[in-house]
């Protein structure tokens, strides 16, 4: 089962929220439903990834997204483009993918090179293929209160990492309604959308950033902490309220001579110490990361089901 495992050591109080197991169960369900869609309607959910330039982290993320599409026996197309591609050429590729009936989802990996206007590119993705939920209209609809239950006004897709964070909080058994939630980081990809999702679930939400004063005291008020700043071990154990649920979105590489690769991944939270204080915590790796990909697969399936008029 995916949900939560208690750690055996007396000094460790936190329950570990197993993102890999939850992601595996979501992917298994997506694979089954994708096969059903293929059998009943001849529709194979298709995802196109667009990678511009040589950012090593982006290359790794896109490769694992494509690999997962293939594992789930869906259709995958990958465009790997030079860093100096013109904005017009990139827009033409996106328009072609938008018109391609075999493609149900289009993912443009961010960040884009500085000479390309990100918003123009994201706005060129047809709304019904915006499986990342980054089209300005989807972002706007996500931000608006009281529209999430109204299907024609709701965002067609919710961004994958924030959706994964909420699923992990739910899997931990933490009640969101009425909880105090502190989100550290205000990025368009994670911090802002996760804050909106928590707000829509009736949490009292504080968004912290580089200008926040007395961050430890603010974090200390939180029943739910979402750390998304991209700084290794930034959140200290003694900031965390005992029993809080901690979701660590950070994926930071640090040198590690004991590893064959010479490096390993750690999160934005000092996990070793925080696990003695938190009530539940996600590990890195194996927490939020796998959930981002699982949610992307779910959104791609949803896009294909909508294209087949099977769901609204
Ligand atoms: N860059 C970092 N995270 C993401 C993501 O979830 N989607 C895209 N498109 N780019 C990213």
């Amino acid at each position: 089962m995916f949900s939560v495992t208690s750690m055996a050591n007396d000094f460790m109080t936190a329950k570990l929220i197993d993102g890999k197991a939850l992601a595996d169960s979501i992917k298994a369900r997506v694979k089954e439903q994708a096969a059903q869609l293929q059998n009943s309607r001849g529709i194979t959910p298709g995802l196109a990834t667009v990678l511009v330039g040589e950012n090593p982290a982006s290359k790794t993320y896109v490769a694992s997204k494509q690999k997962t599409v293939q594992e789930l026996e869906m259709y995958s197309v990958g465009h790997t483009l030079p860093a100096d591609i013109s904005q017009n050429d990139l827009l033409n590729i996106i328009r072609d993918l938008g018109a391609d009936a075999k493609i149900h989802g289009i993912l443009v990996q961010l960040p884009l090179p500085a000479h390309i206007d990100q918003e123009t590119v994201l706005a060129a993705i047809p709304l019904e293929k915006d499986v990342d939920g980054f089209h300005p209209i989807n972002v706007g609809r996500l931000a608006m209160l009281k529209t999430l239950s109204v299907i024609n006004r709701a965002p067609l897709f919710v961004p994958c990492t924030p959706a994964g964070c909420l699923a992990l909080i739910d899997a931990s058994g933490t009640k969101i309604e009425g909880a105090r939630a502190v989100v550290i980081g205000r990025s368009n990809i994670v911090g802002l959308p996760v804050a909106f999702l928590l707000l829509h679930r009736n949490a009292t939400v504080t968004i912290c950033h580089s200008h926040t004063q007395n961050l430890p005291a603010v974090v200390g008020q939180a029943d739910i902490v979402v750390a998304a700043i991209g700084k290794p071990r930034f959140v200290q154990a003694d900031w965390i309220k005992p029993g809080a649920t901690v979701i660590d979105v950070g994926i930071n590489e640090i040198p590690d001579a004991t590893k064959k690769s010479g490096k390993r991944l750690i999160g934005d939270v000092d996990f070793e110490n925080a696990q003695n204080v938190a009530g539940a915590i996600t590990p890195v790796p194996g927490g939020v990361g796998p959930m981002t990909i699982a949610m992307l697969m779910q959104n791609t399936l949803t896009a294909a089901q909508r294209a087949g008029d099977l769901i609204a």
Side-chain angles (χ1 to χ4, degrees):
M1 250 325 265
F2 55 77
S3 56
V4 169
T5 38
S6 282
M7 303 188 85
N9 185 322
D10 279 351
F11 297 104
M12 297 180 182
T13 57
K15 293 177 283 184
L16 206 58
I17 311 172
D18 188 343
K20 184 177 179 309
L22 179 54
D24 284 348
S25 74
I26 292 168
K27 287 188 294 182
R29 198 183 60 215
V30 169
K31 184 174 180 178
E32 207 178 286
Q33 292 185 3
Q36 275 171 18
L37 188 59
Q38 168 64 45
N39 291 337
S40 64
R41 301 290 300 271
I43 297 172
T44 306
L47 176 71
T49 57
V50 179
L51 172 65
V52 184
E54 300 290 329
N55 181 318
S58 292
K59 280 186 181 175
T60 309
Y61 297 147
V62 168
S64 37
K65 289 168 186 177
Q66 284 183 334
K67 182 165 158 262
T68 310
V69 178
Q70 285 153 15
E71 279 166 9
L72 303 193
E73 293 170 12
M74 306 198 299
Y75 176 60
S76 161
V77 171
H79 286 267
T80 304
L81 306 169
D84 62 356
I85 189 170
S86 72
Q87 181 164 309
N88 261 344
D89 287 351
L90 177 58
L91 288 172
N92 283 333
I93 289 167
I94 290 169
R95 286 193 191 109
D96 287 347
L97 292 169
D100 184 341
K102 294 198 298 301
I103 298 298
H104 304 98
I106 301 172
L107 177 137
V108 178
Q109 189 67 24
L110 303 177
L112 290 168
H115 68 279
I116 293 176
D117 182 60
Q118 181 175 297
E119 189 174 329
T120 303
V121 170
L122 295 175
I125 298 172
L127 266 182
E128 66 279 8
K129 297 192 180 188
D130 177 33
V131 286
D132 244 345
F134 292 159
H135 188 294
I137 289 180
N138 270 330
V139 175
R141 287 177 178 170
L142 178 66
M144 284 189 286
L145 275 169
K146 299 189 190 300
T147 58
L148 285 181
S149 59
V150 183
I151 196 69
N152 290 328
R153 303 280 310 281
L156 287 177
F157 297 99
V158 172
C160 303
T161 303
C165 291
L166 270 282
L168 289 165
I169 297 168
D170 285 333
S172 75
T174 304
K175 189 171 174 216
I176 297 177
E177 184 180 0
R180 281 176 184 247
V182 166
V183 177
I184 316 174
R186 53 177 161 176
S187 70
N188 290 330
I189 292 177
V190 185
L192 286 182
V194 93
F196 281 121
L197 291 176
L198 288 163
L199 184 64
H200 295 320
R201 292 278 301 275
N202 295 323
T204 299
V205 182
T206 303
I207 304 174
C208 300
H209 44 76
S210 53
H211 295 254
T212 297
Q213 294 189 9
N214 203 354
L215 181 62
V218 179
V219 173
Q221 298 275 311
D223 306 304
I224 297 169
V225 180
V226 179
I229 47 254
K231 291 190 182 167
R233 291 197 194 98
F234 180 77
V235 177
Q236 302 297 302
D238 62 4
W239 300 3
I240 294 167
K241 178 163 118 177
T245 294
V246 178
I247 305 297
D248 190 347
V249 185
I251 301 181
N252 308 290
E253 251 180 32
I254 58 159
D256 184 344
T258 69
K259 301 279 178 206
K260 218 161 66 185
S261 62
K263 57 195 180 187
R264 74 184 163 101
L265 295 179
I266 62 166
D268 288 351
V269 178
D270 176 9
F271 178 85
E272 301 304 321
N273 296 307
Q275 66 183 347
N276 299 327
V277 182
I281 188 167
T282 57
V284 177
V288 174
M291 287 299 292
T292 297
I293 297 189
M295 291 308 186
L296 176 65
M297 300 302 120
Q298 174 65 64
N299 281 352
T300 303
L301 170 68
T302 300
Q305 289 171 326
R306 285 180 183 149
D309 281 330
L310 292 178
I311 57 169

